Amino acid sequence: MVTLAPKRHAETDLPPPKPVNPLLRLWRVYVVRRIVYALFVIWLVTSGTFFMVRAMPGDPIEVIAGRLSQQGMNIDQAREQARQVLPYDPDANIFSQYFQYFGNLATGDFGWTISQRDTTVLEQIMKYLPWTLFSVGLGVVVAISIGMTVGMIMAYKRGGWFDHVATQIASTVSAIPNYLGAMAIVLIGSTWLGLFDFWDMRGRLTEGVEPGFNAVFIGDALYHVVLPVITYAFTLTGAWALMMKAATTEVLSEDYITIAKARGLKERRVGTRYVGRNSVLPMMPTMAFQVGTLVGGAIVVEEILSYPGVGQLLVKSISLRDYPVIQAVVLILTCAVVFSNLVVDLLNGWLDPRIRSGEATEATK
C-alpha cells in the first residue's frame, strides 16, 4: 500500500519575513519624519546665515573702529580696542567658530551682543520680540474675526450683490503684500487725507510712559500698535473671507444641515452650532501657518512703520555687523515659520489619516 505524502501548504513555501530595521520602522512614523524635516531646515538656514553674514563686506572690527576713530582715536588703536571687545576670537578658524556656535546653541547660549557691551543676545531680543508677537497676534485675531464673519455672509448670500462686491474686494486685497499695504496706509491715511498723525504714532510707547499693568500703559501701547495691526489685518482679511466662504458653502450643501433645518431649528442656531463650527475646523491649520509666516515677514512692515520689533532689530544689527544678534534673530524667525508649517502638517495628518498612510507608503518604496 502506497502512502501519500501530506500536501504542503503554500504558506510553508514562503521565505520567512526579513526583520525590519528599527531605524526604518521609526522613520515610517509620520510625526518623526515631519520633525526631522523641520530640524533639517532649521539647521540648513542657521548654517547658511552663519557663513553668509561673515561673507558680507565689512566686519564688526571695522564698524567699531570707525565709531571710535570718529571720537578722535587713532585708527590702529581703534582696531585693537575693537578686537578686545568682541565676544569671540576673530582670528579663530571659521569652522572652529561654527562648531563652537552650535555647541553654545545646544546649551541655549546665544552669546553676547557686539553693539552693546555686557548685554546678552537673548536679553536684547526679549526687548523686541514681545512687541512683534503682540502686533502680529492682534492683527491675526482682527483679520480672522472680520474675515470669517464676512465670508459666512458671502456664503449665505452667494450670487447676490454683496457676494459679488465682497469677492472682488477680497480677491484684490489678498493679492497686496503687507509692505505695500503699510506704505499705502501711511501715504493715503496720513499724507493725503490727514486721518492720523504718523509721526506721533511711531514707536512702541509715548516718551515718558512706563510699562506696567495700568490703563495708561495699555491704552498707549494699543495706540502705537494700531498701524501694524491695520496693515496685517488689511492684507489677511481678504484671504480669510474667501476661505471661509468656500468652507461655508461646502458645509451648507451637507445633508445634516438640511436635516437640521427640517427639524425646525432656528437659522441662527444652525449657523453657529453646525455651519460655523464645521466650517472653521478645516481652517485651523491655516491659522498656525499665518502666525508663523507673519512673524517672519514683519521685518519690512516694522521698518516702514517705525515699530521697534525684531524686524527693526535685525535691520539695525545688519548695519552694525552684530553677528550674534543677526544669527539669533534669523534663527527665531526661521523657527517661527518652520514650526508653523510643522503644526499645519501634523494637524492635516491628524484630520486626514490618508496623508499619513500615503507618506508611509512612499517611505517604504
Side-chain angles (χ1 to χ4, degrees), residues 319-352:
S319 63
L320 297 175
R321 298 298 188 269
D322 197 334
Y323 294 164
V325 176
I326 297 173
Q327 293 164 180
V329 172
V330 172
L331 174 60
I332 290 174
L333 297 180
T334 302
C335 287
V337 176
V338 171
F339 179 74
S340 64
N341 278 277
L342 177 62
V343 171
V344 170
D345 289 340
L346 296 182
L347 285 176
N348 284 333
W350 176 66
L351 293 172
D352 189 356

Side-chain angles (χ1 to χ4, degrees), residues 185 189-190 195-206 220-228 230 305-308:
I185 289 171
S190 179
L195 299 177
F196 56 86
D197 185 358
F198 169 68
W199 302 103
D200 185 57
M201 300 180 71
R202 294 184 305 164
R204 298 179 294 207
L205 294 171
T206 303
D220 194 68
L222 290 174
Y223 171 73
H224 285 273
V225 83
V226 165
L227 293 183
I230 292 177
L305 300 179
S306 298
Y307 188 79

Side-chain angles (χ1 to χ4, degrees), residues 21-30 32-33:
N21 189 304
L23 293 178
L24 180 59
R25 185 184 296 113
L26 185 63
W27 179 251
R28 291 175 181 175
V29 179
Y30 177 78
V32 172
R33 291 199 306 277

Side-chain angles (χ1 to χ4, degrees), residues 152-161 163-164 245 248-249 252-253:
M152 282 193 70
I153 297 174
M154 291 162 62
Y156 272 97
K157 298 183 178 297
R158 57 189 181 280
W161 68 268
D163 178 29
H164 290 299
K245 174 190 173 183
T248 305
T249 302
L252 287 173
S253 63

Side-chain angles (χ1 to χ4, degrees), residues 132-362:
T132 295
L133 297 178
F134 173 56
S135 62
V136 169
L138 198 56
V140 171
V141 169
V142 172
I144 291 175
S145 302
I146 298 176
M148 285 187 171
T149 302
V150 173
M152 282 193 70
I153 297 174
M154 291 162 62
Y156 272 97
K157 298 183 178 297
R158 57 189 181 280
W161 68 268
F162 180 84
D163 178 29
H164 290 299
V165 173
T167 299
Q168 293 299 323
I169 295 175
S171 300
T172 303
V173 170
S174 61
I176 300 176
N178 53 16
Y179 58 89
L180 287 182
M183 289 189 289
I185 289 171
V186 174
L187 179 63
I188 298 174
S190 179
T191 306
W192 292 355
L193 301 180
L195 299 177
F196 56 86
D197 185 358
F198 169 68
W199 302 103
D200 185 57
M201 300 180 71
R202 294 184 305 164
R204 298 179 294 207
L205 294 171
T206 303
E207 187 176 355
V209 175
E210 294 294 332
F213 193 72
N214 53 69
V216 175
F217 167 72
I218 295 174
D220 194 68
L222 290 174
Y223 171 73
H224 285 273
V225 83
V226 165
L227 293 183
V229 168
I230 292 177
T231 299
Y232 299 136
F234 174 74
T235 54
L236 287 178
T237 301
W240 275 104
L242 294 175
M243 288 189 295
M244 191 63 182
K245 174 190 173 183
T248 305
T249 302
E250 184 177 352
V251 171
L252 287 173
S253 63
E254 298 290 342
D255 294 336
Y256 62 85
I257 300 297
T258 305
I259 295 174
K261 292 180 179 179
R263 288 172 55 193
L265 296 179
K266 294 182 179 180
E267 191 72 26
R268 182 176 180 181
R269 185 179 180 186
V270 174
T272 56
R273 186 178 180 86
Y274 296 96
V275 179
R277 184 177 300 177
N278 290 285
S279 300
V280 171
L281 185 61
M283 300 169 63
M284 294 298 291
T286 309
M287 296 182 188
F289 176 74
Q290 285 196 340
V291 172
T293 53
L294 269 184
V295 172
I299 300 174
V300 182
V301 173
E302 291 178 349
E303 188 66 18
I304 293 173
L305 300 179
S306 298
Y307 188 79
V310 290
Q312 201 170 82
L313 174 62
L314 179 61
V315 173
K316 183 173 68 173
S317 300
I318 291 174
S319 63
L320 297 175
R321 298 298 188 269
D322 197 334
Y323 294 164
V325 176
I326 297 173
Q327 293 164 180
V329 172
V330 172
L331 174 60
I332 290 174
L333 297 180
T334 302
C335 287
V337 176
V338 171
F339 179 74
S340 64
N341 278 277
L342 177 62
V343 171
V344 170
D345 289 340
L346 296 182
L347 285 176
N348 284 333
W350 176 66
L351 293 172
D352 189 356
R354 293 174 298 178
I355 296 177
R356 300 196 304 267
S357 60
E359 288 217 357
T361 302
E362 291 295 327

